[in-house]
Amino acid sequence: MTATDRPLTTLPLGPLHVALEEPMYFRIQVDGETVAGVEVTAGHAHRGIEYLATKRNLHQNLVLTERVCSLCSNSHPLTYCMALERIAGAPPPPRAEALRAVADEIKRIASHLFNVAILAHLVGFESLFMHVMQTREIMQDVKETIFGNRMDLGANCIGGVRFDLDAEGAAYLGVQLDRVAVDVAQIRELYASDRSIGSRTRGIGILPYGDAVALGVVGPVARASGIPFDVRAKAPYGAYSRLEVPVVSREECDVWARAMVRLDEVRVSIDILRQCLARLPQGSLAVSPLPLVPAGEAVTRSEAPRGELIYYLRTDGSERPERLKWRVPSYMNWAALEVMLKGAAVADIPMIVNSVDPCLSCTER
Amino acid sequence: MGFLKVLLNNLMKGPATEAFPFGPPPAAPHYRGRVAFDPASCTGCGMCELVCPGGAIRIDRDAAGLQLTIWHNTCVFCGLCAHYCLSKAIRQTDDWHLAHPQAEKFHLVERGRVSMIPCVGCGKPILPLSDEVMRLAFKGRTTEIERLRRLCPDCRRIASIREMRHAHRSLV
């Protein structure tokens, strides 16, 4: 029998533990060891958060949006605050904008290192996985020391930030960044040259440039397919218009390229943090008094670790939002899985799924 | 292979994990742990109750004063209450030891009562002003300010105007 007339087998994958500990269900048609077709079924993590947001006041939603997702937990309240401040006509003071960038880049480093660590775990390189996680642990300690929590920073409030960096805090952050920078340089070298990483990730999960454009993918997935799109550089918000943000992009379009983009972005983030520390503006942390939010609507966007995050907010002058809607990067990125998985070996599925760094709790909310 | 060096280095460093429960459980100084309430500093503004996303804070008001209740099991440790509490009556401690048997889940509560005091002018019950509020509102403390502190808003207004008229008369 030839490959074409052989009956296809349906392989159910998930909804639990494909690559990450989040529920996602794949109905995969396999021809022997090769993937012939994929059908992605989502919705297992739907909690109705957009509805809940309209039942809570503007302050309570700061915390609710922060808990939509764990790895990009700072991007959600940040973009939400940007929308509120645009409606209220109350931009945060320069120091608050710089500190928001600090919080965001700290989260980005931890998020990217986490994804790259999981890649090593899926390759079966457990000692490298532990090593990358231990490097990420430095950032976790930084978060706990500066913000008081390892995941939910609670950095933003309406009109500014809730935390401050004094000289001691800035010096501490500088020292920890130096430690991470040394480790990340070494980790990047390992991912670039290690044979077992290379053989499991190079040439796998290809998303050609044309498909990437057609599917509208964003974030590291787009940048690894030759689309140098980064909201921080294309449409700078907050402090980013005063910072230098080089956009990392690669042409290989495979799993390996996505990991390398993330590792290079960790280095960019470290550099941005150093820029922030070197020229942290003086001044207040938040607008005072608390701005009144009139009726209005606003659309804001920011670069979350997974890509462009868009928030739409409509207020009616009351203390609750009339509508709060957001579009997360994983929505477009996981649609690209159908292109990436076609023709892949069954054993490579977890690696490919992990390479788009899907965030289900954001997407299904 | 480059990784062998990393591996050897990590082996030399020893375990990276904390020794807990056999060693001390370290927490960062600004750790956002269990919420604590100090009734002596509370002004009863109600901002904590308004911003609490989980509804873990409730303020019950009656003629004798107010009672503030915090349910630790509903708290998400976001710290918005402490952030918006200008008189610092609510703060977050570095205590994260909140594990408890199921049977005790309704007892993990913090309560504090703020009692009304009578206005020295008319005797109407008012909520006392804490030292922290006085510090925020006035640069220094004089005997006049201390006297105004124990007056209800109406009596305070009358006393202030009387004071101003007195000063005006002595000027002309």
Side-chain angles (χ1 to χ4, degrees), chain B:
Chain B
M1 199 176 127
F3 191 68
L4 280 178
K5 220 173 79 189
V6 175
L7 207 60
L8 208 67
N9 207 1
N10 285 348
L11 207 64
M12 303 278 278
K13 274 193 214 156
T17 47
E18 312 282 1
F20 188 75
F22 304 108
H30 302 301
Y31 189 77
R32 300 208 313 264
R34 188 179 53 80
V35 175
F37 175 59
D38 171 24
S41 304
C42 180
T43 56
C45 71
M47 192 63 180
C48 52
E49 191 185 25
L50 176 80
V51 299
C52 181
I57 298 177
R58 195 178 75 200
I59 299 178
D60 295 303
R61 292 169 202 271
D62 54 35
L66 65 86
Q67 173 154 298
L68 188 136
T69 314
I70 302 167
W71 283 273
H72 294 308
N73 270 337
T74 313
C75 175
V76 294
F77 307 101
C78 66
L80 268 190
C81 53
H83 174 70
Y84 284 115
C85 185
L86 287 181
S87 61
K88 302 197 171 55
I90 288 191
R91 63 186 179 90
Q92 275 187 296
T93 63
D94 61 1
D95 178 13
W96 51 270
H97 302 278
L98 285 159
H100 57 275
Q102 174 80 351
E104 286 169 24
K105 68 176 176 184
F106 296 121
H107 302 291
L108 233 69
V109 176
E110 173 121 358
R111 280 200 180 88
R113 202 171 167 82
V114 186
S115 300
M116 297 276 200
I117 54 162
C119 161
V120 292
C122 63
K124 210 171 88 180
I126 53 165
L127 277 173
L129 282 176
S130 70
D131 287 342
E132 185 61 29
V133 172
M134 296 301 283
R135 199 189 58 76
L136 281 169
F138 305 104
K139 280 203 178 106
R141 300 235 312 249
T142 61
T143 44
E144 273 128 80
I145 290 172
E146 278 303 313
R147 201 155 43 80
L148 290 176
R149 180 178 179 177
R150 291 193 298 273
L151 293 172
C152 71
D154 288 335
C155 291
R156 208 181 303 152
R157 222 168 283 139
I158 294 167
S160 300
I161 290 170
R162 199 168 287 157
E163 201 83 10
M164 270 161 65
R165 279 168 63 182
H166 184 73
H168 184 71
R169 220 169 276 151
S170 59
L171 270 177
V172 279

Side-chain angles (χ1 to χ4, degrees), chain A residues 298-331:
Chain A
V299 176
T300 46
R301 56 183 184 156
S302 71
E303 183 75 19
R306 280 153 197 76
E308 182 187 44
L309 174 67
I310 302 177
Y311 260 70
Y312 168 74
L313 173 67
R314 190 168 73 226
T315 54
D316 55 4
S318 74
E319 62 179 15
R320 290 177 182 175
E322 202 180 349
R323 178 82 170 101
L324 183 58
K325 157 135 192 85
W326 51 101
R327 192 192 73 172
V328 300
S330 297
Y331 185 69

Side-chain angles (χ1 to χ4, degrees), chain A residues 56-57 59-60 63 67 125 127-128 131 134 144-145 147-149 152-154 157-158 162 186 190 194 290 319, chain B residues 1-3 5-7 10 16 26-28 30-32 47 50-55 76-80 83-84:
Chain A
R56 274 160 178 72
N57 67 40
H59 293 284
Q60 291 175 311
V63 180
R67 276 147 183 83
F125 202 158
S127 43
L128 179 60
H131 179 65
Q134 189 55 35
E144 193 179 324
T145 308
F147 306 96
N149 192 293
D152 294 325
L153 305 185
C157 66
I158 301 172
R162 279 169 54 187
Q186 196 180 34
L190 280 168
D194 190 83
L290 215 50
E319 62 179 15
Chain B
M1 199 176 127
F3 191 68
K5 220 173 79 189
V6 175
L7 207 60
N10 285 348
H30 302 301
Y31 189 77
R32 300 208 313 264
M47 192 63 180
L50 176 80
V51 299
C52 181
V76 294
F77 307 101
C78 66
L80 268 190
H83 174 70
Y84 284 115

Side-chain angles (χ1 to χ4, degrees), chain A residues 139 150 167 180 183 196-197 268 317:
Chain A
M139 290 325 280
R150 286 164 56 89
V180 174
D183 279 4
S196 30
I197 295 281
V268 170

